[in-house]
Each structure stands twice: as structure tokens, then as C-alpha cells.
Amino acid sequence: MRHLFTSAAAMAGLLLATHAQARQQDDGYRLPPAEIADIVLRAPSPSVSVSPDGKTLLLLERESLPPVAELAKPMERLAGQRLDAATNDNFNPRNFVGLSLQDIESGTVRQVALPPNADIADQNWSPDGRYVAFTNTVADGMSLWVLDTQTAQARQLLERGINLVFEEPRWLPDGQLLVFTIPADRGEKPMPSLTPTGPAIQDAAGGQDAQTRTFQDLLKTPHDEALYKWLVTSQPVIMRPDGSSRQTVGEPRLYVNASPSPDGRYLLMEWIDEPFSYQVPWSRFPRTSAVWTRSGDPVRIIAQRPLADSLPVQGVVTGPRSIGWHPTADATLMWAEALDGGDPRVETDERDALMALSAPFGGRAERLHVFEDRYSGYTGLDGDDDIIAYDYDRDTREVRTALLDVTGSNDARVIEVRNVQDAYADPGNPITVQNAAGFSVAHVDDGHLFLSGDGASPDGARPFLRRFDLETFETEELWRNTGEQYESVVDLVADDGSRFITYHESPASPGNFRLRTADSVRALTNFADPHPELTGIERELITYERDDGVELSSTLYLPPDYEEGDKLPVVVWAYPREFNDAATAGQVRDSKYRFTRIGGYSHLFFLTQGYAVMDRAAMPVVGSDPETVNDTFIEQVVASAQAAVDESVKRGFGDGERVGVGGHSYGAFMTAHLLARSDIFRAGIARSGAYNRTLTPFGFQAERRIFWDAPETYYKLSPFMAANRINEPMLLIHGAKDNNSGTFPQQSERMFAAVKGTGGTARLVMLPHESHGYRGRESVLHTLAEMVDWFDTHVKGETNDSD
């Protein structure tokens, strides 16, 4: 059972009591300075969910970080998933610990009574906003609850026996619940035999490429297969909100999805078939998609997809994919089919088709539309059978948006074609609502839909609300964020957009929710500043230029006590990104008017120790040809890093010498390159990175070529191959159970050995039980202690200049 720890102050005191002793040892967890630990251990503000009818806020209370002991519980790493056999759920620490309901109009808050040590997850509004289904985790299972928002009373429907590996409890159009349960007769958990029955064998028949990325947590043995089947097999059950009238649907299978048609008469059922694979995760296992009646009687098989273990890089399966119900038709299925064999390397003018098949599901599917590029989804329209569909060109990075007439004969109308990286031209995304059948659709009022967006501009982001005419495609701006604040649209309260909820913050005020009308604004929440001692932090968006003319930007943070003219040690923190052109690469995507929220293992904690931080320092890799853009990766990130440091000197807060660089994941990869290929920085921090690209031979990040097509590039882009050139101290931190594709823990272990073996200065910290990101309380505090100590030792010292 997971227990809520006491107050943050009490926990900080308990931990800090052993701080001095812990710092003397390298075999135990350490603590950062007290002012950092105290902030880390504070509980964050509640999460907020708006009811479908726009009348109620569901406030979900959170606790601070869980102890590592929670992460150390037994975990089953199977088929690319991490599962908890005790609860038959995905492996996760505690989510939410409390619930309350707030009436939007009156502001009245009602607390919801929950069992002791509640662990709330999987919350799901009923379409009418009357109920919220949620789960509560106990030591040996998951219980199902329903909250009645009228009475603020929560009722337990099932004490045990829910299977949540793939599907949360979901509402049917008639207000009943569909739940995946554990079959009553599934038997005991399979136990591994101490005596093997034979070797694990995999075959490659030859004659067909099988270019799979470096997936982790895959099946390895027949026992793994048996255990996976035991955990994933489920029995769908339909019940009323009070738990009565329980009806089983079909027979137990390895279900991954059960979706009701909008009229509630049919179910789209999808399940995993055998044989499994030891090379790819569950998402590529054989799968059947079929239509059943609500009572579980088969109607038609829509697709039987074979094992997809030989897809080309960035390719898709052939046959029906992305199968789902049209959200406003009674019972019409839609799906995409590749016209290029699923291979993006094939040159063609017709890459995908959108298909449709309606009840009673006899005959052949109708081809609704042909896409020039790869289909990437659609948005349904409330009260209309038209949809807004999207297709994407991976070479030009252009997305095409079109209005499609599903049941009529009108031609498709292209709304826009835009580079997805062009933030300044982003028109915004449709604001969605949950319709009566429970489907998410774009809200439409009098032939108009509503768009909200970040409003990126050269002066910083200014979120907006716009009304879009579906007939003329004309846009009218209803509201835009102005002033020394940052405010973005969350949801509409009035159909015509005259009343809407926003999330508001400013440099001195943390994020809170507001209700806006044309001429008034009212606060809905009043969440406290999580760290008032840091209110004086200065935040500024700065722009500068690379030596090749590419415009760059960064968010500059200065400590609360900073005085003009002071020269500080500087931390440059970044994550490289690829762009087709310099114009989009240099766009400003942040705002200086946002609240600086610091938590977890954020590098912004360096501000408490007297550093300046250049956050999100732009490291664009620009190239018109996505196939070869990485050929100049190193030269471009070095030039960008030099420009950032030069700007710190020009603006007077940096001296150009006491500078450290850091990054997480691809940012760690960048950090290693900068230390190996330049002398810009005194030291670096590389968290959870990949350093040897020969271990990711079938592509990485945006690299499309495989190792055997471009071995020189893979070699050059492996900092491991230049470890002997790293002559600045490098701190490597990695989760010992990292499951991110490509960033095996071995990557940091081998990189450390290479730097050490060639005479360099390095430190390797492997965090027990942690994945690609770090969640355990002790792990987060230790990470911060290591980061601060590393830069204090290797960056913060005096400059070489005597004055």
C-alpha cells in the first residue's frame, strides 16, 4: 500500500538532518541545498478538469514525489510495457490523492469523501456531466468507483478485478459503463521454471528488410509470453452507474480497445492475436478489429493485421489502420489505408485513402478521400457529418487541412497548407466538446467553430480565441492575451464563445483558472505560489544571431537578487531540433510573462545558487533536405552554443568563461558533442542520453537513414567515438531502468568508461528503479545534489582574468 507522507517541511527536516553525513558518502542518496529540497517536497497545485456541460470543475489533489520504494515494487517488463501484476495495471506510482467539485457559477467547493490513503486514477466524465468514473488502487488490485456530481458522493462499484492494462472504464451513449475485468477463471499467475525447456529462438527468413528501432522491455522467453497473456486477457462487462445489471460481452481475449458506436448499438472490438514477437512491442503484434453487437454477437471482421515486424523506418502497416467510429453518425466506421505499401520512400501522388463502412456493415467500404501525403487524423464537427482531415508531408513538414463531406457528394475543400514548424502562422486548434455519445468533437455554433492557439510572435506568445466560418473559411479574432501576463483558453462556457475559461499566470502569480466574458473576468481558483521565496526571479525572452545568420532565441532567467552589471556563472540548457529553413528555426515560441514554476529535477534550481540560466537555448539544425540535415549537426550546434555564450557576455550577465551546458535525452547527446567538439564550456551535465549511434542502427530522432546507408554519419554523430576529445568534466546521470527507445542505460555506462579510459574527468550516476524521467523522491533530490555540486565545483570558480 502506498502511503501519503507527512508535510513537506517535516520531510525536509527529516532528510536534512542526515544531509552532512550523506554528503560524505557516495553509496547512498544525497540531498541538494536545503532551499532546493524544501521546494521539491512541496505538494503541487491540484489538476483541474472541466465537466462536459461546462458547469463544474473537478479538482484533483496531488501529492509531492513518491518514495523510491514505490518504484522498487515488482515490475513486469513485457512487450514494450511495464506492468504491475499485483494490481493488473500499468506500473505507476500514486496519481491523485483527493477529489473535490467546484461549481463554476457560485464558486462553491464540495469535498468528496474517499477511502483512507486514496490513490485515484483513470477519471472519466459521463457525457452529460452527471457522473465521474474513476479507479482507486489498493495493495492487491484496483477498485471501480463512480462519483455523482449532484450529491458529491462517491460509490464503489467493484472492489477488485479490473484490468486496466489497455482500457479505462468508459461511458456508453446510454449512460452505462463498459469495463475490462479480470476473467474469473484465469488461474494462478504463471511462474518461471528453474529448468529451461530450451533456448529462446528467433528467425530471419531473408529477402525482406526488418528495420525496427531499438525497442526495450520486449518479450524474451516462453514464460514472458505466458505471463503477458495472463495479465492482458480481459473480459468486457457493461453495468449501470450503480453497479447493477452487469452483462458480460463476448469471451475473454487480449482486448486493446472496445469502442461503442454513437447510437450505442454496436461495439468496435480490437484484440491482440498470436504469434507474438521478441523483436517489436505489442502495438505491432497481430491484431483483429471487428464489429459486434452490444450483446457480443459478431457482425463483421474489419481487419486482421499480421505481425508488423518489418515496417520501413517511419512506415505504416498496409490494410486498415486507425479504425474508429465517425463521431456524429449513428454507426459508421472510418479508417485509413496506405496506397504506397506503407513505405514513405515510395514516390507517389496518392499516399493514403480514407475509407468508410456503415451499418449493417455488408458490402464493400466506400473510399471517401485520397490524400497526397500521409493521413494523420481528423476532427469531427458537433452536429455535422463533415470532418476536418489532416495529411502530412514528412519531407516538407507541411500539413494539409481539408474539410471533407462524409455522407454527401461535395468535393473536399482545402482549408490551408502550412509548415507545422511555422509557429507564427499557426491558426490554432479547434476547441472540442464531448457530444451526447461521448465522442470528442469540435464545438460548432451557427456554422462557426472556435480556435485557440499559442499566438507565437517575434515579441513572444500571445494566446488567442478565434471564430472560424466553415463556409467562407474566414477567421475573426474574439480575444487575445495582452499585457504583462500570460493567459490561454481552456474551454468554452457559452456556445457562442462569449464566456470561456482561461488559465492565467504572470511573473509574480502562479497559474490559476478564470472565467472571462466580453467585459469581465472572475477568478475560479486561487492556488498559492508554490515557492514565494523565488518570486523575484527575472525572466526575459532574448534573441540573437548565429554566425551564419540564423536567428536564435532563449529564455533568460536571473536570480531574485541579481543586480545590473553583476557577472554570474551561466547554465545553458538546450534540446536540438531539426528545421527545413532558417526562418522557422528562429521563431520565438515562449513568453516572458509566464510564471516561473520550478519543481522536480529542473535545471532552473540553479537560480537558487546564484547562476543565470539560458533555458531552451535554440539549437536548430537547419537543412532543406531531411535526409541529410544531420550531416552538419555538430557544426550547427557548436555555432548555436557559441552564439548563446557570446550573447551572455554582450548583455553583461556572463563573463564567457564560467559557463556550463546541459540537457536531457537528445539534449544530453548534444552536451557530449559540445564538450568533445568545442572548448566553449567548462563542464557539462548529460542526463539519460544516447552516445553511440551504432547501437541505434535503424534511425534515431529525425535521422531516416540506417547505419549501412550512412556509416560515416553514424560514426561522426556518436560522441562515444570522440570520447578522447572530451577534456571538460562531464556528469552522466541515467535511470537504471530507462525504457526509452535508444537511450539504454548501457549508453551512459559505456560513455563513462570511454571518457575515463581516455583520461577524461567524468562521473556516472545510475539511479535505481528510474526510467527515462526520474520520479522517486530520493532520486530527484539526489539528481539535484549532483548537478549543483558538479557545476559548483567545475563551473562556478573564478574567471581566469585576474580582474
Side-chain angles (χ1 to χ4, degrees), residues 88 144 158 160-164 167 178-184 186 230-239 246-249 252-253 255:
N88 222 104
L144 174 64
L158 293 174
R160 296 286 192 281
I162 307 175
N163 188 327
L164 291 163
E167 189 84 304
L178 175 61
V179 184
F180 282 5
T181 63
I182 298 171
R186 75 169 175 175
W230 186 83
L231 281 166
V232 172
T233 300
S234 62
Q235 173 64 66
V237 174
I238 294 174
M239 66 183 71
R246 297 177 188 177
Q247 168 202 343
T248 60
V249 180
R253 298 178 189 266
Y255 294 105

Side-chain angles (χ1 to χ4, degrees), residues 346-367:
V346 172
E347 294 186 9
T348 178
D349 293 331
E350 297 183 345
R351 196 165 296 281
D352 267 343
L354 185 64
M355 313 296 292
L357 182 65
S358 298
F361 308 105
R364 300 182 62 180
E366 174 190 1
R367 179 177 286 190

Side-chain angles (χ1 to χ4, degrees), residues 240-262:
R240 292 178 178 172
D242 61 3
S244 65
S245 300
R246 297 177 188 177
Q247 168 202 343
T248 60
V249 180
E251 62 186 33
R253 298 178 189 266
L254 281 72
Y255 294 105
V256 297
N257 176 47
S259 175
S261 60

Side-chain angles (χ1 to χ4, degrees), residues 685-734:
I685 297 173
R687 298 190 319 223
S688 300
Y691 311 103
N692 186 345
R693 286 307 173 191
T694 67
L695 298 178
T696 57
F698 294 112
F700 57 90
Q701 206 72 5
E703 179 58 56
R704 301 176 183 175
R705 297 166 295 182
I706 65 174
F707 170 78
W708 295 272
D709 291 336
E712 299 84 2
T713 298
Y714 272 71
Y715 188 95
K716 180 182 177 182
L717 285 182
S718 296
F720 177 85
M721 308 303 178
N724 62 321
R725 301 179 61 175
I726 295 179
N727 54 13
E728 297 88 9
M730 181 165 66
L731 172 63
L732 293 152
I733 303 176
H734 214 119

